[in-house]
C-alpha cells in the first residue's frame, strides 16, 4: 500500500564536453571535486538494496513491484538519479547551501567548488539552457515516478539519499566524530515526526549512531509535489566510511551488510506507511457500532 522513490541527486560525476572545456580546474582538481561532491558507489549501493532477490543487473529508474504475498517484501520502489555532476548545476541547491552560496533550496549553478576555486560564469541564456537540458529532465523523472506510484499506491515516500565524509572538508562548528547516519526533514506535513522517529529507531537498533540534521541539514521535495498529502519525504545521508575506504577509494567488505540494513530499513518504512494508511482509513470509515436491538430468533420447526 506504499510506494518508495529513492532519489540520488549526487551519484554521477559526468560533465558534458561543452561545460568541461569551460572549467579552469586541473585534472587533479577535477578528481578532487568529483570525489567530494559525487558518489557513484552510494548509488550502486542503493540500487542493490532494492533489487529483487537473485537479480544482479543494474537497476536505475526501473519499477520494482512489491510482492503482495510477502509481508516482509520491499514496497513498490523506483530509483531516480541526477545524471550530471553538481559542477554542471546543483539540482537541489543542497551543496550550494552547505558551501554558503545560497540560503534557499532549488537549482543553483555553483560559483566555487569544494576547493574554493572559481567555476565558469555563465550568461543568463546559458544558465537557462543548462537548467532546461540538465535539471528539468531530472525533475520530470521525479514527477513521473511520483505519478506512476500514486496511480497504484495511496502513499509515496521520497527518500533523498546522500553521503558525507568521515571528516569535514573545512572547519566545522562541531568536533569529530561525526554520526554514521544523518536524517533530515522538509516540513512536518511532508516529514511527520513519527516517520523521523521510526527511521532513527531502526538505524539505532542496527547499532548505527544516528543524528537529525547533522552534519547535513534538511530534505527536499519538488515544488510541484509540495503540499500533496499523499507525498511524504525524508532525507537520509550515510557516512562514507561505512561502505568505502576513503583513503583508497575502494568498497569495503562491510558494504554488503549495509545493503542488507538498507533493504530492511526500506521494508520497515513501507510497513509503517501501510500502517498509517490503514489508520487513516479507519478514521475516515469507522466500523459501525453493534446494534442494541435484540433480534428475535427464528421459530424452530420440528
Amino acid at each position: 500500500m506504499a510506494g518508495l522513490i529513492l532519489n540520488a541527486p549526487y551519484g554521477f560525476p559526468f560533465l558534458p564536453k561543452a561545460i568541461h572545456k569551460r572549467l579552469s580546474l586541473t585534472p587533479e582538481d577535477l578528481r578532487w571535486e568529483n570525489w567530494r561532491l559525487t558518489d557513484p558507489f552510494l548509488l550502486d549501493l542503493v540500487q542493490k538494496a532494492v533489487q529483487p532477490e537473485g537479480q544482479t543487473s543494474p537497476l536505475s529508474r526501473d519499477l520494482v513491484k512489491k510482492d503482495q504475498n510477502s509481508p516482509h517484501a520491499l514496497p513498490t520502489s523506483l530509483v531516480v538519479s541526477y545524471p550530471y555532476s553538481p559542477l554542471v548545476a546543483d539540482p537541489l541547491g543542497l551543496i550550494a547551501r552547505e558551501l554558503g552560496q545560497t540560503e534557499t533550496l532549488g537549482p543553483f549553478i555553483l560559483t566555487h567548488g569544494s576547493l574554493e576555486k572559481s567555476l565558469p560564469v555563465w550568461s543568463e541564456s546559458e544558465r537557462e539552457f543548462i537548467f532546461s537540458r540538465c535539471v528539468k529532465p531530472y525533475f520530470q523523472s521525479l514527477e513521473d515516478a511520483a505519478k506512476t506510484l500514486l496511480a497504484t499506491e495511496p502513499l509515496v515516500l521520497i527518500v533523498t539519499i546522500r553521503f558525507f565524509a568521515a571528516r569535514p572538508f573545512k572547519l566545522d562548528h562541531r568536533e569529530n566524530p561525526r554520526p554514521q547516519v544523518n536524517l533530515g526533514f522538509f516540513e512536518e506535513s511532508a516529514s511527520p515526526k513519527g516517520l523521523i522517529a521510526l527511521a532513527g529507531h531502526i538505524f539505532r537498533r542496527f547499532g548505527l549512531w544516528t543524528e537529525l540534521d547533522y552534519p547535513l541539514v534538511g530534505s527536499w521535495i519538488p515544488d510541484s509535489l509540495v503540499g500533496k498529502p499523499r507525498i511524504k519525504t525524508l532525507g537520509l545521508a550515510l557516512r562514507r566510511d561505512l561502505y568505502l575506504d576513503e583513503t583508497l577509494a575502494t568498497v569495503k567488505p562491510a558494504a554488503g551488510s549495509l545493503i542488507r540494513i538498507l533493504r530492511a530499513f526500506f521494508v520497515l518504512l513501507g510497513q509503517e506507511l501501510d500502517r498509517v494508511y490503514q489508520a487513516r482509513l479507519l478514521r475516515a470509515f469507522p466500523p459501525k457500532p453493534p446494534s442494541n436491538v435484540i433480534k428475535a430468533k427464528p421459530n424452530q420447526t420440528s
Side-chain angles (χ1 to χ4, degrees):
M1 288 188 175
L4 187 64
I5 297 174
L6 303 176
N7 172 33
Y10 305 117
F12 281 97
F14 176 68
L15 288 165
K17 289 183 179 179
I19 292 179
H20 196 177
K21 289 179 180 178
R22 291 277 298 271
L23 291 178
S24 58
L25 301 175
T26 67
E28 181 68 14
D29 288 343
L30 184 56
R31 283 193 291 270
W32 273 111
E33 291 288 4
N34 284 332
W35 169 252
R36 291 182 169 191
L37 301 180
T38 66
D39 194 341
F41 301 99
L42 179 60
L43 176 58
D44 181 65
L45 207 73
V46 171
Q47 291 172 337
K48 288 177 178 177
V50 295
Q51 283 177 356
E53 295 292 342
Q55 179 175 318
T56 58
S57 60
L59 174 71
S60 183
R61 301 184 186 179
D62 293 334
L63 184 66
V64 181
K65 294 185 178 180
K66 178 178 179 179
D67 180 2
Q68 301 293 340
N69 298 320
S70 173
H72 303 296
L74 281 161
T76 304
S77 306
L78 275 166
V79 178
V80 178
S81 55
Y82 176 59
Y84 299 97
S85 165
L87 295 176
V88 176
D90 179 357
L92 311 187
L94 291 169
I95 289 176
R97 185 175 65 177
E98 286 148 17
L99 293 176
Q101 298 177 26
T102 183
E103 294 182 356
T104 59
L105 295 181
F108 189 89
I109 293 182
L110 299 177
T111 58
H112 296 76
S114 65
L115 299 174
E116 300 186 352
K117 296 186 177 182
S118 296
L119 296 176
V121 177
W122 305 99
S123 68
E124 188 60 31
S125 60
E126 289 172 329
R127 293 166 65 88
E128 291 178 1
F129 180 79
I130 291 172
F131 286 144
S132 65
R133 292 293 297 269
C134 301
V135 178
K136 187 176 179 180
Y138 164 63
F139 283 1
Q140 189 62 54
S141 295
L142 284 167
E143 293 171 14
D144 291 346
K147 290 177 183 178
T148 297
L149 293 180
L150 287 173
T152 57
E153 313 296 338
L155 292 176
V156 172
L157 176 65
I158 301 175
V159 182
T160 299
I161 301 181
R162 301 181 60 194
F163 69 94
F164 58 95
R167 295 182 179 180
F169 301 134
K170 298 191 296 184
L171 292 178
D172 203 339
H173 69 286
R174 290 173 64 175
E175 296 180 355
N176 286 333
R178 293 174 139 192
Q180 294 168 303
V181 178
N182 172 192
L183 300 174
F185 66 93
F186 182 71
E187 58 184 34
E188 189 166 348
S189 61
S191 303
K193 290 182 179 178
L195 182 66
I196 300 293
L198 172 69
H201 176 74
I202 292 171
F203 282 115
R204 285 192 293 271
R205 288 297 298 268
F206 281 112
L208 296 174
W209 174 18
T210 307
E211 291 280 356
L212 178 64
D213 278 344
Y214 177 74
L216 307 181
V217 178
S219 182
W220 178 87
I221 190 171
D223 289 342
S224 60
L225 302 178
V226 172
K228 294 186 179 295
R230 293 171 60 196
I231 298 284
K232 305 300 176 187
T233 184
L234 173 69
L236 170 62
L238 302 174
R239 201 175 73 194
R240 190 147 60 172
D241 63 350
L242 286 172
Y243 56 93
L244 275 187
D245 184 317
E246 292 189 284
T247 302
L248 301 176
T250 56
V251 178
K252 289 182 174 180
S257 297
L258 186 57
I259 290 172
R260 290 189 289 273
I261 289 174
L262 286 175
R263 185 179 183 89
F265 174 67
F266 297 147
V267 169
L268 292 171
L269 282 184
Q271 291 175 355
E272 175 64 10
L273 290 174
D274 288 353
R275 186 195 65 78
V276 168
Y277 179 66
Q278 293 289 354
R280 284 185 180 181
L281 282 181
L282 192 60
R283 287 196 298 268
F285 304 101
K288 294 181 178 180
S291 174
N292 292 325
V293 178
I294 300 176
K295 295 181 179 181
K297 293 181 179 181
N299 293 329
Q300 300 289 331
T301 58
S302 55

